[in-house]
Amino acid sequence: MAKHLIKIEDLVKDYVNDDVVTPVLRGLTFSVENGEFVAIMGPSGSGKSTLMHILSFLDRPTTGTYKFDGTDVLDFSDDELAALRNKKVGFVFQSFNLLQKTSVKENVQLPLVYSGISAKEMEEKASWAIKSVGLEHRTEHLSNQLSGGEKQRVAIARALINDPKVIFADEPTGNLDSKSGSQIMEILEQLNDQGRTIILVTHEQDTAQHARRIIFMKDGLILSDQEVTSRRSAQDGELRK
């Protein structure tokens, strides 16, 4: 297994519109090891969301190198990138992205629909993922019957269902109150403690402090890349309220 799960060198992303070139990422170089918990921070327009889209195979860089789990993925076809997304990556979004009036179990099973596995195995995987986020008592509830914090737990369970190499979380606490947000960060911390790699995009310093490393971006550049010396636990956050 490659030590570096993600390794990028001199990564550049430009957007071109009517011959006008807008640089978004200006030659980024860094790596993420298996089992890390990295927060990417920066103001609006810093390039953090574009970087996450490239790292998660939703977009392609203009130039540079990107190796995922030891494999150079820049020349992969769209179908190969889609397969990587489905099998190796889990996503947690600010807006949850759940199907309304559909049960928790059915939402969690969505990534498995075209996997070819049996209904029994699908059921077992969903039960395991739902248990991982403490929602066994809500398995048959519809998503529109859940609180915001519960919806985000369902999204995390869905992200876990294929046992991904990395979970990308894009502002996962952005639509939640402080208590629910703290609970979500506690779940992500627990998953990281179990060895899962997590890459988080956030503009909230309190949220970023739950990670073990913070990359701060501005104007398409990395201004700092530092280990978190005093990781703030979600439980500590609750005690301070």
Side-chain angles (χ1 to χ4, degrees):
M1 181 168 60
K3 180 182 180 183
H4 298 305
L5 177 62
I6 288 171
K7 185 175 178 62
I8 65 170
E9 293 181 349
D10 201 22
L11 202 74
V12 172
K13 179 65 177 180
D14 297 329
Y15 287 115
V16 181
N17 187 15
D18 293 332
D19 296 327
V20 176
V21 178
T22 304
V24 182
L25 302 179
R26 304 169 183 258
L28 307 186
T29 297
F30 68 90
S31 59
V32 176
E33 296 182 15
N34 282 288
E36 280 204 90
F37 189 164
V38 181
I40 302 174
M41 294 194 70
S44 297
S46 61
K48 60 185 186 296
S49 293
T50 299
L51 175 60
M52 174 173 271
H53 289 162
I54 291 173
L55 295 181
S56 59
F57 316 117
L58 291 169
D59 198 359
R60 295 175 184 266
T62 304
T63 60
T65 332
Y66 179 14
K67 289 185 178 179
F68 183 85
D69 207 20
T71 301
D72 190 337
V73 299
L74 286 188
D75 293 327
F76 274 30
S77 68
D78 289 345
D79 286 345
E80 287 173 319
L81 288 180
L84 265 182
R85 276 198 307 274
N86 192 46
K87 294 178 181 177
K88 304 289 187 180
V89 171
F91 294 97
V92 180
F93 300 99
Q94 178 177 346
S95 55
F96 319 131
N97 289 5
L98 302 182
L99 294 179
Q100 297 298 311
K101 298 185 179 178
T102 303
S103 73
V104 166
K105 180 172 68 177
E106 289 167 324
N107 268 288
V108 171
Q109 288 177 336
L110 271 178
L112 302 177
V113 169
Y114 299 107
S115 64
I117 67 174
S118 67
K120 180 183 178 183
E121 188 176 354
M122 195 179 293
E123 188 91 13
E124 289 171 351
K125 281 177 174 281
S127 294
W128 164 79
I130 292 167
K131 186 176 181 180
S132 296
V133 298
L135 275 185
E136 306 98 306
H137 61 297
R138 303 291 254 168
T139 299
E140 299 300 333
H141 282 71
L142 304 182
S143 61
N144 60 350
Q145 297 174 320
L146 305 178
S147 68
E150 288 172 333
K151 288 179 181 179
Q152 197 60 293
R153 289 186 188 214
V154 176
I156 294 172
R158 182 183 58 195
L160 283 172
I161 194 78
N162 272 327
D163 194 21
K165 282 276 189 179
V166 57
I167 293 175
F168 289 98
D170 191 358
E171 301 281 6
T173 62
N175 282 342
L176 303 177
D177 59 51
S178 58
K179 181 178 179 180
S180 298
S182 184
Q183 291 170 344
I184 291 304
M185 292 312 301
E186 184 176 354
I187 290 172
L188 292 178
E189 283 180 23
Q190 290 169 352
L191 293 173
N192 177 243
D193 290 341
Q194 293 164 13
R196 297 197 179 270
T197 307
I198 297 173
I199 298 179
L200 164 78
V201 163
T202 182
H203 67 278
E204 299 172 347
Q205 184 67 40
D206 282 355
T207 299
Q209 287 298 133
H210 294 289
R212 297 182 183 274
R213 173 182 169 197
I214 299 176
I215 294 174
F216 190 85
M217 296 181 62
K218 186 175 181 181
D219 298 331
L221 296 168
I222 293 176
L223 295 190
S224 64
D225 183 349
Q226 298 178 329
E227 299 292 322
V228 176
T229 52
S230 56
R231 185 185 188 188
R232 177 183 174 188
S233 77
Q235 291 174 336
D236 287 345
E238 281 297 292
L239 291 174
R240 293 174 191 170
K241 289 183 176 63

